[in-house]
Each structure stands twice: as structure tokens, then as C-alpha cells.
Amino acid sequence: MALLLLLITVSLFLLSSAALPYPYDTSYHIDCGGHTPSTDLYNVTWLPDQFFSGGATAVVSEPLHFRLQVEKTLRYFPLSSGKKNCYVVPLPSGRYYIRTFTVYDNYDGKSHSPSFDASVEGTLVFSWRSPWSEGIDRDGAYSDLFAFVKDGELDFCFYSIATDPPVIGALEIIQIDPLSYDSARTGDSYILVNYGRLSAGSDQWGPGFTSDPDPFGRSWQSDTEFLNQNSKSARTITTEEKIFGTDQAPNYFPMKLYQSAVTISGDLEYELSVDAKLDYLLWFHFAEIDLTVKKAGQRVFDLMVNDVNVSRVDIYKEAGGFAAYSLIYTVKNLSSTVLSVRLAAVVGAPLLSGLENYAMVPADMSTVPEQAVAMRALKESLRVPDRMGWNGDPCAPTNWDAWEGVTCHPNQNDTALVITQIDLGSQGLKGYISDQISLLSNLVNLNLSSNSLTGILPVGLGQKSLKRLDLSNNQFSGSIPESLTSSNMQLVLLNNNLLEGRVPEDLYSVGVHGGAIDLSGNKGLCGVPSLPDCPLFWENGHLSKGGKIAITLSCLFFVGVVVLVVSIICIRRHRNDYDFGLPQDLMSLAAKRNRYQRQKSLMLLEMESQHAKGLPSIPLNSQ
């Protein structure tokens, strides 16, 4: 991408506006490289350096050349911190004005200003290229933009070109009205990068950071150096009168902007340096502050942009006297590196109070949120070293390389980026694989071989998209999860680990169907050809699946036998109850009859005995 940074030399007026983030209350003023909080001459409180991913601190080579403490310190990011480093600042979702101060001043004694890129929320916004101009090299420069934050944190990232360490001196973040700068029409998918914020006829506002108040904290600069050579004779008019309609939502422009203006006999023309192939949003500010203009039609001029007649302007007709009036115009598909603005006189002399020029940079695609979460979890669990630069969005900006060892592609709708490959073989990793890896639903190739990774393989490791898996030469333990039995697998290398247990047959079939699989070097694996048979009832230090089934069946058989025995006993008891369960009266009669029968039998036996001995018989019924 072409140069996106307007570099403006910071002279005597440096560092932050004293304005509060009106009408919101979220703001950060970070002294990059600073170790203690401080308050500057304009009563702005600066925080010590924080929210950074890495790097080191330094002091400019000539501290006495700078007025304020925050100008003298900086943070730089050597290659040992990785090619990508970020400030990640927690913020409420909304729109923010972001301003940076960048200075080199030969802090490292190498007399070589660095080349690097900077991005906001995954979109490339600034590009610094060596050598810097002498003034910027020594005095520093500021740059600013408007951006939306939608995910609860701002990512402001730096990307090293070659071996140059990126540098930053100060970072300011101020929440503003989300509807500002016509976002209702342009949408929230653009970042507005400042290519010039000019206060016509004023030399009090900059360049740089000043004490002059602006509700958003915007820096304004004199328009003098942007006037066309033919317009250098333009004269300034000012007023102390109140200007109506300035401090209004959603833009809250400062009244001071409209209390000065430039005018000229003839045409008033500006030349703005820009980058080609971008759209630009122009804001023109007017206020009729000339007391001699008392009615419409006394001052009329045509507004021309690159020789295109944008609008005919009559300030008094639009707003009246001493009232603010703004006009917006978008330049589409600019093909040159110079944007020409001309106010061509129709009646009287043209007049301008201010001009803002913003590049409309389309927000780049970012990583699918859940996959970004998974990658951050992997960064922690795998203990990825700082030198690999795993900071910010894993895949964005698309102009940069993704995280080292990571490959990304647009999703099917070309609306976001997804992770397709992770190649971290032989990187000295000593952690484990996070369960969050299951969120990488587009992962095709995973190579974590030849590290010192431990722990079990996550249950969700296998995705339908996964085709090649190399986890060889680590210290993974436990069993192989069934989730790895995807029919799409073409390569499975799990050799030389501490895995144990039965190998899923579907996984082993990868080799049968033309793929490659290597499970050697795992003494505890079993159950497929070339590996030992698995114990019938014992596996992985606990009951095998077969053992659990056998015990279950045995328990069911035992329970069945017990139920059968109890049922038989109960049935027999029920039968006995029917045979002998007689009424009490019947039981009494039966007992008497039984006694009579026993007595009669005894008498008969006795008579038979006497007869056998020759004794006379005794009649049974004798009286």
C-alpha cells in the first residue's frame, strides 16, 4: 500500500491537548517508554507505558531539545520481540480519535531511521520509510485518525520491515461521538486517516500538540504551507465575536476554528499531498465574519476539487453572519498524488475558515472471532516465544504476514479470515495443546513435531477439515481420541510419544486408503497390525472397553439369577398359603377328628394283640 502517513514537523508546540474526551469519559494518554505518571504543562495526565506486547524503552539522544518529558522517551521493538508487536488497550466499543507521536533522534546511535508499518484494528494505516526527513528525524511527527472499536479492545500494532525496530513516543486514545464525521452515511467500516487538518489564517494551533482546546483533542495546523504559490498573497481576517452553531453534536468543532479565515482577490487555491487509489473525505468550514457582508449574494464562489465544480457557496445565505457552516465532499478513486482545492470567485472574494482531508481506508478483513480466541489460547498453552511475534490479530492486516508459522485464507464469503495451517515444528515449545483448538474448524495442516509438548491430545483435535497431522517426537500421553478418525486424514504422524491404549481402527485405515500413518515409538499403543494385541480386560492402566462390557454382562447375569431365585421362593410361599390357610373353626373340627381316629386305631391294635394271646374278646360297644 502506498504511503498513508501525513508527516508534520513538530516545532515549538508539542504534546497533548488539554481537552477532555467530550462528551465521553474514556481516554488514555500513554507515555510510551515512560516509567512514571506525569502531568504536562497543559494539565494532561500521562500514564506510564503499559498495554504493550514487548520491546524495550529508550531516551532520545538530545533530551534538552524537547520541552516535555513525554517527548523524550520512546518504546522500540527489536527483532527479538518478533516482527509484529502491539499495544492492546481495553476500551468500550465505540468510535475513537487516536493520535501518535513518533520520533527517532538517533536514540540508538546508529544514525539510521527505521522503516516499519503501523495498523489499527487489523488495518494498515501508517507507513514509515527510511530515511526520514531531517526535521522529522530530529523533532518527531504526529499522526492521527478516527476508528471504530467493536470487540472491547484496541489493537495498535507495528510491523518491522527487514530488521528495523519500530518506534513510538506517545499514544493518545480519546472516545468521541460515534456519529461524527458523517459515519451514518459512510458506515463504520472505514478508518479516517488525517492527511491535513487546516485552520485557515491561524498560526496558533500547531503543528503538533498544543494547549488550544478542541472537544475531541484534535490538533489543527496553519494552512500557510498548503497554499498554492498563486495564493500566497491571501490575507487573514479574524474576530473575537461569538460564532453560533460550533459546539454541536456530533462533531463538536471548536469556535476558534471559525474565528479566523483567509480571503483573496481572485481564486484561493490549496494543494494537498495524498496517496493515489484511495477515496478522500473533505470537510470545508466557513463562517461569514466580515462585517461588510450583510446579506446573501454579496459573497459567492464556486468550490472546485480537482477541477470538478463541487458546489456554489454563499455563506451568508446558508448560515447568516457569524454562524458556522460546513460542507462535505468525497473524492472517489483519486489517480494522482496531489489533491487540488480551489475557491473560484463569482461575486466578491472567496473565504475559508478551515479544511480537513481524510483518507477513507476500508477496514481490512480480520480473523473470525472464535478462531482468534483459539489462537490466543494456543499461544498461552504452547508457550509460543516472543520472538515469533504472536501479537494482535493472527491474520490481519492482510498486507502483512500472519503470525509466524500460521497460514490464513479468506472464508467462503470473503468476509473474514480463517486459520488453515499451523506449522510450529522444532520451535522449542514446552506446553500443551489447548482444548480451544476445536474452534479451528478450517484447519487443514497441523505440525507441532519435534518439540517438548506434554499432556493428552484434546478430544476436539480432529476436525473434518484436518488432512495432515504431525505431532511426532513430543511427550504426549494418554489415548488417541476418536475425533481423529476423520475420513479426510491423509497423514498422521504420532510416533515417538508416550501414547497408550487401543488405536481406533478407522484411524489406522488412513494407511490402508493411500495415506501415511506412523505410530511407532509409543510403547503403550496396541490393537492394530505391527502393534501388540491389547489386553482382554486391562488397558491404559484401567479397565479396557472389553473388560467393562464383560463386567457389565456378569453383573446383569448375577442380577438375573437373584431375581429368578427370589421369584421362585415367592411363588412357593404363595402356594402354601392357599393349601393351609383354613378358617379357625374348620381347623378346630379337623383336630378333634384326627384325635378320635388316632384313639380308634390304638384300640384296634390292642384287641388284635389280645386275640393273638388267647384272651376273650371285649365287645366294642358293650354297655
Side-chain angles (χ1 to χ4, degrees):
M1 181 180 290
L3 181 64
L4 292 180
L5 176 62
L6 177 68
L7 301 177
I8 300 176
T9 304
V10 178
S11 59
L12 296 178
F13 304 94
L14 290 173
L15 259 306
S16 178
S17 163
L20 292 174
Y22 182 80
Y24 300 93
D25 58 359
T26 299
S27 66
Y28 288 95
H29 302 267
I30 301 174
D31 177 11
C32 301
H35 299 289
T36 58
S38 63
T39 302
D40 65 20
L41 298 174
Y42 310 125
N43 202 34
V44 173
T45 299
W46 290 85
L47 302 174
D49 204 358
Q50 54 192 283
F51 305 123
F52 51 83
S53 62
T57 62
V59 178
V60 295
S61 62
E62 298 181 80
L64 295 179
H65 178 69
F66 299 89
R67 294 181 61 196
L68 303 177
Q69 181 61 36
V70 293
E71 305 167 18
K72 304 174 184 181
T73 58
L74 57 85
R75 176 165 290 276
Y76 68 96
F77 303 97
L79 202 58
S80 59
S81 295
K83 293 185 70 66
K84 182 179 181 181
N85 282 274
C86 303
Y87 277 81
V88 181
V89 184
L91 295 171
S93 296
R95 197 173 203 187
Y96 288 87
Y97 173 61
I98 301 166
R99 177 168 56 194
T100 65
F101 178 73
T102 307
V103 63
Y104 174 61
D105 193 40
N106 199 28
Y107 77 91
D108 55 1
K110 297 181 179 179
S111 300
H112 172 71
S113 52
S115 295
F116 62 92
D117 290 339
S119 73
V120 169
E121 291 295 275
T123 300
L124 176 62
V125 290
F126 303 139
S127 293
W128 294 77
R129 292 296 180 268
S130 183
W132 301 4
S133 67
E134 183 177 352
I136 294 173
D137 185 306
R138 186 183 184 197
D139 299 326
Y142 78 92
S143 52
D144 64 72
L145 54 86
F146 297 100
F148 282 92
V149 174
K150 304 176 184 179
D151 58 357
E153 59 184 24
L154 170 72
D155 291 354
F156 194 99
C157 299
F158 306 88
Y159 188 76
S160 177
I161 305 298
T163 59
D164 288 352
V167 294
I168 182 171
L171 175 62
E172 294 187 278
I173 305 164
I174 301 172
Q175 189 176 12
I176 62 173
D177 195 307
L179 296 177
S180 59
Y181 287 94
D182 206 28
S183 67
R185 181 174 63 87
T186 59
D188 59 2
S189 58
Y190 286 96
I191 295 175
L192 300 184
V193 180
N194 176 22
Y195 272 65
R197 188 182 295 112
L198 313 181
S199 176
S202 172
D203 58 358
Q204 302 294 316
W205 287 39
F209 309 114
T210 76
S211 61
D212 292 310
D214 180 291
F216 285 178
R218 290 162 290 205
S219 292
W220 298 81
Q221 62 187 116
S222 172
D223 66 329
T224 303
E225 64 181 279
F226 299 95
L227 284 168
N228 180 277
Q229 191 63 35
N230 297 327
S231 299
K232 293 296 185 180
S233 60
R235 63 185 180 89
T236 300
I237 59 175
T238 61
T239 184
E240 297 294 329
E241 296 290 332
K242 179 179 180 180
I243 308 299
F244 296 95
T246 59
D247 191 21
Q248 301 291 324
N251 297 301
Y252 299 95
F253 291 116
M255 185 181 297
K256 182 172 181 177
L257 172 64
Y258 299 92
Q259 289 177 323
S260 67
V262 294
T263 185
I264 193 173
S265 297
D267 293 351
L268 181 65
E269 187 171 357
Y270 293 88
E271 292 183 353
L272 307 176
S273 296
V274 293
D275 291 308
K277 300 180 181 180
L278 286 173
D279 295 345
Y280 289 85
L281 184 66
L282 298 176
W283 280 71
F284 299 92
H285 301 283
F286 308 100
E288 186 53 78
I289 59 175
D290 188 345
L291 290 172
T292 64
V293 178
K294 298 181 179 180
K295 62 179 181 179
Q298 288 186 290
R299 188 194 306 277
V300 181
F301 53 90
D302 287 334
L303 182 59
M304 313 286 291
V305 177
N306 283 355
D307 296 325
V308 175
N309 194 333
V310 173
S311 177
R312 177 157 289 187
V313 180
D314 185 335
I315 303 172
Y316 199 98
K317 179 181 178 181
E318 297 292 341
F322 296 93
Y325 169 59
S326 296
L327 190 150
I328 313 166
Y329 179 70
T330 302
V331 183
K332 296 285 188 178
N333 299 318
L334 190 64
S335 59
S336 66
T337 58
V338 176
L339 197 156
S340 173
V341 174
R342 181 163 58 92
L343 282 64
V346 176
V347 178
L351 179 145
L352 179 68
S353 297
L355 170 60
E356 298 177 83
N357 180 27
Y358 298 99
M360 299 179 63
V361 181
D364 205 347
M365 288 187 293
S366 58
T367 305
V368 172
E370 58 265 26
Q371 296 202 15
V373 169
M375 293 302 291
R376 285 193 287 267
L378 280 175
K379 175 187 175 180
E380 295 300 321
S381 70
L382 296 176
R383 300 179 190 174
V384 176
D386 292 342
R387 60 178 169 77
M388 301 191 71
W390 278 34
N391 302 304
D393 190 295
C395 302
T398 54
N399 313 72
W400 301 353
D401 294 330
W403 286 2
E404 186 175 342
V406 176
T407 303
C408 306
H409 287 95
N411 61 4
Q412 292 183 346
N413 300 323
D414 286 334
T415 57
L417 299 168
V418 294
I419 313 297
T420 58
Q421 178 172 300
I422 299 176
D423 188 354
L424 297 179
S426 303
Q427 294 295 331
L429 306 179
K430 298 182 179 180
Y432 62 94
I433 301 178
S434 168
D435 292 338
Q436 300 279 3
I437 198 171
S438 62
L439 298 176
L440 301 181
S441 57
N442 303 92
L443 190 63
V444 176
N445 181 23
L446 176 62
N447 177 16
L448 300 176
S449 63
S450 301
N451 288 291
S452 299
L453 299 175
T454 60
I456 63 173
L457 302 183
V459 173
L461 177 59
Q463 296 285 347
K464 290 184 178 179
S465 61
L466 191 63
K467 295 182 179 180
R468 294 178 296 277
L469 175 66
D470 187 354
L471 303 181
S472 61
N473 300 302
N474 280 286
Q475 300 172 31
F476 291 114
S477 58
S479 59
I480 298 176
E482 292 288 339
S483 59
L484 283 181
T485 59
S486 168
S487 60
N488 296 321
M489 296 290 283
Q490 299 173 357
L491 175 70
V492 180
L493 302 180
L494 300 176
N495 50 294
N496 299 322
N497 278 284
L498 304 176
L499 299 172
E500 55 186 357
R502 184 180 299 274
V503 176
E505 292 184 5
D506 289 342
L507 179 65
Y508 185 77
S509 66
V510 169
V512 178
H513 293 92
I517 184 170
D518 189 349
L519 304 175
S520 62
N522 292 278
K523 294 182 179 180
L525 290 180
C526 61
V528 295
S530 77
L531 294 178
D533 293 332
C534 294
L536 182 60
F537 297 124
W538 196 252
E539 186 177 301
N540 299 344
H542 51 75
L543 281 173
S544 66
K545 184 177 180 180
K548 292 178 181 178
I549 293 174
I551 291 177
T552 302
L553 292 176
S554 299
C555 291
L556 290 175
F557 177 77
F558 177 76
V559 171
V561 171
V562 171
V563 171
L564 180 62
V565 171
V566 171
S567 299
I568 293 173
I569 293 174
C570 290
I571 291 172
R572 289 181 175 178
R573 291 187 63 182
H574 282 302
R575 287 179 178 174
N576 292 337
D577 288 344
Y578 283 119
D579 291 342
F580 302 103
L582 299 176
Q584 187 66 32
D585 292 342
L586 292 178
M587 290 179 63
S588 177
L589 291 174
K592 292 179 179 179
R593 183 177 178 180
N594 289 338
R595 285 197 300 271
Y596 172 76
Q597 291 293 338
R598 286 195 296 273
Q599 291 176 355
K600 183 177 180 179
S601 298
L602 292 172
M603 292 177 64
L604 290 174
L605 289 173
E606 185 179 356
M607 290 176 63
E608 290 177 357
S609 177
Q610 291 178 357
H611 177 75
K613 295 178 180 180
L615 295 176
S617 300
I618 300 174
L620 291 175
N621 295 322
S622 62
Q623 298 293 333

